[in-house]
C-alpha cells in the first residue's frame, strides 16, 4: 500500500503545537518551515490562536481544507480521541510522536491497542507511537516531519531505523561527511505502519538507490524476510541488542548454540542483506553505495602515490574477501608508457609521490578499462609539489569514461579542501583512513557476491517413508526425547545416512555384534542418565579386536556403573571432518537447520550457521559454505576434500524432516563424519 500520505503529504497539521520553543511540536513546525515544506502547515492547539506566526485552530476539525498528515503530540491518554477526530476530518495518516504506550508496559499496552483500533475504525494510518517521524528530501516534496537536527541534503540513501537515536546517528554522520539522504523513517513502536511496509515502499522509489536498516527486534520476522527477498537494491543493515544469549538451558547442542540473534543472521543471509557490526562501518559503506553502481565482481585494482597507505588498505580488504590480481599485460604496457620509470606496475600500482595529473589520469583510465578488475581504489596523499586539483580533475575524467566503481582515500587537510570538493562533487566517495576505504570497497564486493548467487529455487523433495517416520516420532519419553532406536529409525525413514550399529545388553552380546559388524568398532554406553556420553567415559573408539572390546566394556562398567547400562556397538568411521547438523525452531521463523563444525568441542568452536527449512540445494550449499571453518571441508593440511554433495544432501534431508514435522523441537546429529567418501552420522538426539 502506498505510504505517500507520510512521505508526500500536501498539507500537515501539528496537533499540540505550542509557542514554547523547547517543545517537540514547536520544533516540528519550525523544521517543516525551515526545510521548505511547500503546502500549508496548520498548528492545532486548544488555547494558542497563533503559533510561529501561523493562525492556529482549536481542533483538527476546525482546520480549513484538506489535511493529508497530522502529527499528534498530546498527553498519551488523549491520543486515541485525536485519531478519531482526524478520521472525521479525513486525515489520511497520523504521526504519533507522543510516548507512553507499549514501551511503558501495563496500561500503556492497553492504550496502544486502543490507538490501533481507533486508527483502523477511523481509516487513518498510524506512524509510531513513541517515534520521531519521517523525512523526504525530494525537491518536489521537501518534508522534515521530525524534531531532530540532521541537515536536510538530497541524496539516494533511504534510512529506516527503529531506534530514533540510531536513525539520527546515521543520518547526521552521513550529512557530516557530505552524503545526503532520500527518505528517512523512524517509526518507534510501529503499531500500524511497519518496517517491512516502509522497505517495500522504498523498493518502488526510483530515487532510492540503497536502503539502510536498523532494528532492535523484528515484530514479524517472516514478513520482513518476505519483503527483503523482493528488494532489488542493496540493503545495508545494523541490528543491535545481539549479546543477549538465548536463556534456554538445553541438553542438545543445537539449542545451546542458538543465540538471541540467530533469526537476524538467518533473515539477512537468506535475503542477501549486508550486515554491519557498527554504525560507523555501515555509514562508510552507505557513502559508497549511495554514489557508485555496485561492481560485477570483487577484483580490486589499487592505485597510489603513497604505497604504505595502499598496503594498509590491502591488509584490511583481503581478509574481508576482496581479490587483488595483477593488471593484464596490455595494461602493464600502457602503464609503463604513461608512468615514470620508478613506478611499480603490480597491484597496488605505486606511482610515487611526484605523480601528476597526467599520470593519475592515464593510470586510472587503464586500470578501469582492464577486464581483470571490477573496481578501483585510489589511495593518495596531497603533496605540496603536485597540482592536486588537476589530479582530481583527471581522476574524475577517467571515472566518467567507465561504469566501474571508484573509491578514494585521501590523506590531506583543509588546505586542499578545493581538491576534495572536486572529487565529492563528482560523486566519488573519499575517506580519510585507508582501512575505512577498504571496508567500503569490501562491502561493495560482498554485494557483488550476493548478486552472483544462483537464483532461489523451490526446495526439491526426497522420497521418504512417511509411515515409518510417524511411527518413530510416536516413541518419545515423557521429557520428549525419542528413544535411541526410534531416533535412528526416523533418520532411516528420511534417508539420512547413519552408521551401522547393534544394541547389546551384555558384553558377550556386544562381542557377537562386533563380529557381525566387523572390527574396528566403537563401543558406547546407553543409559537414561547419559547425555554427553564421552564426558562420562561412555564412548570407546578404535577397538580393533575382541580383547580390546572386552577391556573397554569392563572399564565402562566400572566408570559409568552397571545400573541400567546398555551397550551400543558401531562400525568405526575413519578419518574425515566432524560436523554438526542440527535443527531447532528459530523464534518467529520456524523450523531451521543448523550446520557447523561438530564433535565434542562444538560449544567451544561455536562455528554454526542456520538455514530456514526446507532448503533447496542452493540454500543448503550457501549455509554450508558460510561457516568460518569451511576450509576444513575443502581439504585443509593435505586432507582430501570431503564429498560436499553428500554433506549438502544431509542438510537438505534434515531440513525436509523438520519442515514436514514441526513437532520436532530439537534435533542433533553430532557428529556427522564427512570424508571424501561421503557423510555419515554416528550420534543422534531428537526431542519432540
Ligand atoms: P557424545 O556426543 O554423547 O559424547 P558421540 O557418540 O558423539 O558421543 O561420540 C563422541 C565422539 O566419539 C565423536 O565426536 C567422535 O569423535 C567419536 N565417535 C563416536 N562414534 C564414532 C564412530 N562410529 N566412528 C568414529 N568415531 C566415533
Ligand atoms: Mg555426540
Amino acid at each position: 500500500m502506498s505510504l505517500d500520505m507520510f512521505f508526500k503529504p500536501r498539507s500537515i497539521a501539528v496537533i499540540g503545537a505550542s509557542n514554547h520553543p523547547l517543545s517537540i511540536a514547536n520544533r516540528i513546525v519550525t523544521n517543516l518551515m525551515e526545510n521548505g515544506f511547500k503546502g500549508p502547515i496548520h498548528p492545532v492547539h486548544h488555547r494558542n490562536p497563533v503559533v510561529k506566526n501561523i493562525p492556529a485552530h482549536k481542533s483538527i476539525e476546525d482546520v480549513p481544507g484538506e489535511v493529508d498528515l497530522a502529527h499528534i503530540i498530546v498527553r498519551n491518554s488523549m491520543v486515541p480521541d485525536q485519531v478519531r477526530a482526524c478520521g472525521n476530518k479525513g486525515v489520511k495518516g497520523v504521526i504519533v510522536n507522543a510516548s507512553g504506550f507499549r514501551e511503558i508496559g501495563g496500561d500503556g499496552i492497553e492504550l496502544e491497542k486502543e490507538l490501533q483500533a481507533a486508527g483502523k475504525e477511523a481509516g487513518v494510518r498510524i506512524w509510531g507511537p513513541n517515534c520521531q517521524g519521517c523525512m523526504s528530501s525530494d525537491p518536489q516534496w521537501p518534508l522534515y516531519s521530525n524534531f531532530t537536527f540532521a541537515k536536510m541534503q538530497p541524496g539516494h540513501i533511504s534510512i529506516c531505523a527503529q531506534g530514533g537515536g540510531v536513525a539520527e546517528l546515521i543520518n547526521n554522520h552521513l550529512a557530516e561527511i557530505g552524503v545526503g539522504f532520500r527518505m528517512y523513517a523512524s517509526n518507534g513502536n510501529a503499531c500500524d505502519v511497519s518496517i517491512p511496509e516502509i522497505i517495500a515502499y522504498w523498493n518502488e522509489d526510483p530515487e532510492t538507490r540503497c536502503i539502510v536498516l536498523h532494528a532492535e527486534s523484528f515484530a514479524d520476522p517472516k514478513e520482513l524476510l518476505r519483503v527483503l527477498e523482493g528488494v532489488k537494491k542493496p540493503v545495508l543493515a545494523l541490528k543491535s541488542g545481539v549479546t543477549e544469549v538465548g536463556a534456554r538451558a538445553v541438553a542438545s547442542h543445537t539449542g545451546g548454540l542458538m543465540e538471541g540473534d540467530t533469526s537476524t543472521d538467518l533473515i539477512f543471509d537468506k535475503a542477501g542483506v549486508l550486515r554491519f557490526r557498527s554504525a560507523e562501518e555501515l555509514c562508510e559503506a552507505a557513502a559508497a553505495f549511495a554514489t557508485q553502481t555496485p561492481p560485477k565482481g570483487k577484483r580490486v585494482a589499487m592505485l597510489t602515490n603513497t604505497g604504505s597507505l595502499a598496503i594498509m588498505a590491502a591488509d584490511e580488504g583481503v581478509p574481508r574477501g576482496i581479490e587483488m590480481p595483477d593488471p593484464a599485460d596490455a595494461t602493464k604496457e600502457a602503464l609503463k608508457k604513461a608512468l615514470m620509470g620508478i613506478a611499480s606496475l603490480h597491484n597496488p600500482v605505486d606511482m610515487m609521490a611526484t605523480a601528476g595529473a597526467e599520470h593519475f589520469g592515464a593510470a586510472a583510465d587503464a586500470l578501469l578499462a582492464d577486464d581483470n578488475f571490477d573496481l578501483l581504489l585510489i589511495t593518495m596523499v596531497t603533496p605540496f609539489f603536485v597540482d592536486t586539483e588537476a589530479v582530481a580533475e583527471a581522476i574524475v575524467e577517467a571515472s566518467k569514461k567507465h561504469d566501474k566503481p571508484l573509491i578514494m582515500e585521501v590523506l590531506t587537510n583543509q588546505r586542499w579542501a578545493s581538491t576534495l570538493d572536486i572529487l565529492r562533487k563528482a560523486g566519488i566517495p573519499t575517506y580519510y583512513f585507508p582501512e575505512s576505504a577498504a571496508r567500503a570497497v569490501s562491502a561493495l564486493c560482498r554485494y557483488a557476491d550476493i548478486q552472483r548467487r544462483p537464483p532461489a529455487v523451490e526446495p526439491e523433495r526426497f522420497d521418504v517413508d512417511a509411515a515409518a517416520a510417524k511411527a518413530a516420532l510416536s516413541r518419545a519419553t515423557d521429557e520428549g526425547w525419542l528413544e535411541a532406536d526410534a531416533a535412528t529409525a526416523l533418520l532411516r525413514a528420511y534417508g539420512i545416512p547413519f552408521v551401522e550399529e547393534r544394541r547389546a545388553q551384555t558384553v558377550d552380546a556386544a562381542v557377537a555384534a562386533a563380529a557381525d559388524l566387523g572390527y574396528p568398532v566403537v563401543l558406547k554406553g546407553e543409559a537414561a542418565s547419559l547425555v554427553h556420553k564421552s564426558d562420562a567415559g561412555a564412548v570407546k573408539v578404535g577397538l580393533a579386536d575382541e580383547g580390546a572390546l572386552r577391556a573397554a566394556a569392563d572399564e565402562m562398567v566400572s566408570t559409568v556403573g552397571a545400573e541400567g547400562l546398555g551397550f551400543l556397538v558401531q562400525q568405526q568411521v575413519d578419518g574425515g571432518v566432524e560436523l554438526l547438523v542440527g535443527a531447532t525452531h528459530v523464534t518467529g521463523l520456524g523450523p531451521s537447520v543448523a550446520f557447523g563444525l561438530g564433535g565434542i568441542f562444538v560449544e567451544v568452536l561455536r562455528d554454526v550457521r542456520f538455514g530456514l527449512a526446507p532448503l533447496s540445494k542452493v540454500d543448503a550449499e550457501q549455509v554450508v559454505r558460510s561457516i568460518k571453518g569451511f576450509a576444513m571441508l575443502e581439504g585443509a593440511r593435505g586432507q582430501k576434500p570431503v564429498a560436499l554433495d553428500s554433506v549438502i544432501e544431509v542438510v537438505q534431508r534434515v531440513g525436509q524432516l523438520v519442515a514436514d514435522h514441526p513437532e520436532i523441537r530439537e534435533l542433533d546429529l553430532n557428529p556427522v563424519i564427512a570424508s571424501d567418501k561421503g557423510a555419515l552420522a554416528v550420534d543422534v538426539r531428537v526431542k519432540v
Side-chain angles (χ1 to χ4, degrees):
M1 186 193 275
S2 170
L3 295 177
D4 283 354
M5 67 282 252
F6 292 104
F7 290 102
K8 296 175 182 172
R10 291 160 303 174
S11 53
I12 299 182
V14 181
I15 302 172
S18 78
N19 279 309
H20 192 344
L22 296 183
S23 71
I24 284 181
N26 189 281
R27 175 40 57 182
I28 289 172
V29 174
T30 309
N31 278 350
L32 283 167
M33 292 169 70
E34 287 180 355
N35 290 283
F37 182 68
K38 291 187 177 163
I41 302 168
H42 305 287
V44 174
H45 196 272
H46 61 284
R47 257 196 336 264
N48 298 335
V50 172
V51 174
K52 294 213 61 110
N53 291 327
I54 310 172
H57 304 275
K58 283 202 177 336
S59 84
I60 183 74
E61 283 145 305
D62 296 340
V63 174
E66 273 185 56
V67 178
D68 284 345
L69 178 66
H71 280 268
I72 303 182
I73 309 115
V74 298
R75 196 170 354 107
N76 59 352
S77 59
M78 292 160 61
V79 173
D81 273 345
Q82 288 297 337
V83 170
R84 289 178 196 111
C86 284
N88 293 340
K89 171 71 191 162
V91 176
K92 299 185 184 71
V94 295
I95 298 177
V96 182
N97 302 99
S99 52
F101 293 87
R102 196 180 67 214
E103 78 283 2
I104 61 166
D107 291 348
I109 298 176
E110 290 311 309
L111 193 59
E112 188 162 313
K113 283 188 191 147
E114 187 190 336
L115 169 64
Q116 234 169 358
K120 213 166 239 157
E121 212 167 291
V124 178
R125 296 300 314 268
I126 299 174
W127 187 281
N130 179 36
C131 71
Q132 276 186 1
C134 48
M135 300 198 272
S136 168
S137 70
D138 189 326
Q140 292 220 280
W141 314 89
L143 173 78
Y144 207 119
S145 260
N146 187 0
F147 50 80
T148 55
F149 53 81
K151 214 165 65 200
M152 177 97 133
Q153 190 180 320
H156 298 285
I157 303 176
S158 288
I159 303 163
C160 177
Q162 200 174 11
V166 184
E168 187 63 10
L169 177 71
I170 294 170
N171 202 25
N172 189 50
H173 180 69
L174 289 175
E176 289 289 296
I177 61 173
V179 177
F181 71 92
R182 166 70 179 166
M183 291 184 196
Y184 172 105
S186 180
N187 67 339
N189 296 7
C191 82
D192 178 16
V193 177
S194 68
I195 287 179
E197 202 177 348
I198 296 167
I199 294 173
Y201 179 74
W202 288 344
N203 193 33
E204 302 299 323
D205 172 41
E207 290 300 315
T208 295
R209 276 200 209 148
C210 135
I211 295 173
V212 164
L213 168 67
H214 163 262
E216 283 156 2
S217 61
F218 301 130
D220 187 346
K222 271 196 186 139
E223 175 65 3
L224 180 67
L225 175 60
R226 190 190 66 77
V227 167
L228 284 173
E229 282 189 295
V231 173
K232 298 281 168 279
K233 26 192 119 177
V235 180
L236 281 51
L238 184 68
K239 164 81 162 51
S240 42
V242 297
T243 42
E244 181 203 339
V245 176
R248 293 193 300 156
V250 279
S252 82
H253 294 287
T254 307
L257 287 165
M258 190 177 70
E259 316 226 341
D261 205 25
T262 298
S263 64
T264 312
D265 276 336
L266 216 155
I267 293 171
F268 290 176
D269 281 356
K270 192 155 183 2
V273 168
L274 294 176
R275 182 169 194 181
F276 297 86
R277 300 287 158 180
S278 76
E280 189 180 0
E281 215 179 300
L282 181 145
C283 288
E284 289 165 356
F289 278 98
T291 49
Q292 306 299 297
T293 17
K296 301 268 182 310
K298 52 183 176 180
R299 299 162 310 160
V300 179
M302 287 193 197
L303 175 65
T304 187
N305 64 355
T306 30
S308 58
L309 298 181
I311 291 167
M312 287 174 81
D315 281 353
E316 185 76 4
V318 171
R320 288 165 184 262
I322 71 166
E323 290 165 8
M324 292 183 58
D326 254 11
D329 290 342
T331 311
K332 279 190 187 157
E333 278 307 311
L335 291 171
K336 204 167 174 180
K337 274 198 208 114
L339 304 182
M340 291 174 274
I342 47 173
S344 158
L345 305 181
H346 296 286
N347 193 6
V349 175
D350 187 353
M351 305 180 292
M352 310 295 167
T354 46
E358 69 279 22
H359 306 115
F360 268 99
D365 187 28
L367 292 170
L368 283 167
D370 188 337
D371 286 339
N372 277 6
F373 300 115
D374 302 300
L375 70 162
L376 174 62
L377 170 61
I378 301 179
T379 63
M380 77 167 205
V381 65
T382 49
F384 273 115
F385 39 85
V386 169
D387 179 351
T388 57
E389 285 182 25
V391 166
E393 307 273 11
I395 291 172
V396 170
E397 276 318 302
S399 87
K400 276 188 196 154
K401 285 199 244 163
H402 309 272
D403 70 343
K404 288 180 190 170
L406 171 58
I407 305 285
M408 287 191 68
E409 183 266 339
V410 188
L411 168 56
T412 191
N413 65 20
Q414 269 311 308
R415 191 189 290 263
W416 284 272
S418 54
T419 299
L420 278 181
D421 235 37
I422 294 169
L423 296 170
R424 286 193 179 146
K425 284 221 173 84
I428 296 174
T430 59
Y431 300 85
Y432 185 74
F433 286 105
E435 290 95 336
S436 305
R439 283 192 295 266
V441 164
S442 319
L444 289 170
C445 293
R446 256 163 80 198
Y447 187 68
D449 267 348
I450 288 170
Q451 291 294 94
R452 288 188 299 181
R453 283 197 327 209
V457 290
E458 275 297 303
E460 50 276 58
R461 276 194 67 86
F462 299 95
D463 282 341
V464 299
D465 185 343
K470 199 161 171 245
L473 281 165
S474 67
R475 290 166 53 207
T477 65
D478 290 345
E479 286 169 314
W481 294 104
L482 282 203
E483 287 163 23
D485 55 338
T488 43
L490 179 66
L491 299 182
R492 229 174 293 123
Y494 268 74
I496 297 162
F498 199 82
V499 70
E500 277 292 314
E501 64 179 21
R502 303 275 185 278
R503 292 201 153 67
Q505 287 312 308
T506 64
V507 177
D508 285 340
V511 169
D516 187 24
L517 292 170
Y519 288 95
V521 295
V522 176
L523 182 72
K524 299 184 185 181
E526 285 187 329
S529 60
L530 289 173
V531 176
H532 297 311
K533 297 178 288 297
S534 43
D535 295 354
V539 177
K540 306 278 181 195
V541 298
L543 307 175
D545 52 35
E546 181 179 338
L549 175 59
R550 285 189 185 276
D554 289 346
E555 197 189 326
M556 196 180 292
V557 170
S558 68
T559 43
V560 181
E563 182 69 22
L565 181 70
F567 293 116
L568 179 63
V569 186
Q570 290 182 342
Q571 279 178 347
Q572 162 97 17
V573 182
D574 281 324
V577 185
E578 296 203 3
L579 303 170
L580 167 93
V581 181
T584 188
H585 280 239
V586 172
T587 320
L589 290 172
S592 305
V593 178
F595 176 83
L597 293 184
I600 52 176
F601 295 117
V602 63
E603 280 88 359
V604 181
L605 295 166
R606 296 195 91 80
D607 186 8
V608 172
R609 306 294 292 186
F610 287 77
L612 206 58
L615 298 94
S616 67
K617 188 166 183 201
V618 171
D619 296 337
E621 176 157 0
Q622 192 200 319
V623 173
V624 168
R625 285 183 181 275
S626 69
I627 63 166
K628 293 189 208 91
F630 180 70
M632 298 276 290
L633 279 71
E634 287 179 304
R637 309 221 59 148
Q639 301 262 355
K640 284 191 185 152
V642 308
L644 206 56
D645 280 346
S646 311
V647 173
I648 290 168
E649 189 176 320
V650 172
V651 171
Q652 281 192 274
R653 285 182 183 270
V654 169
Q656 184 175 331
L657 170 61
V658 294
D660 289 351
H661 296 282
E663 69 269 31
I664 298 174
R665 304 309 294 192
E666 304 273 342
L667 182 148
D668 241 351
L669 298 176
N670 186 28
V672 171
I673 302 179
S675 68
D676 56 320
K677 293 180 199 71
L680 205 54
V682 302
D683 186 26
V684 57
R685 284 171 69 79
V686 180
K687 193 174 192 178
V688 293

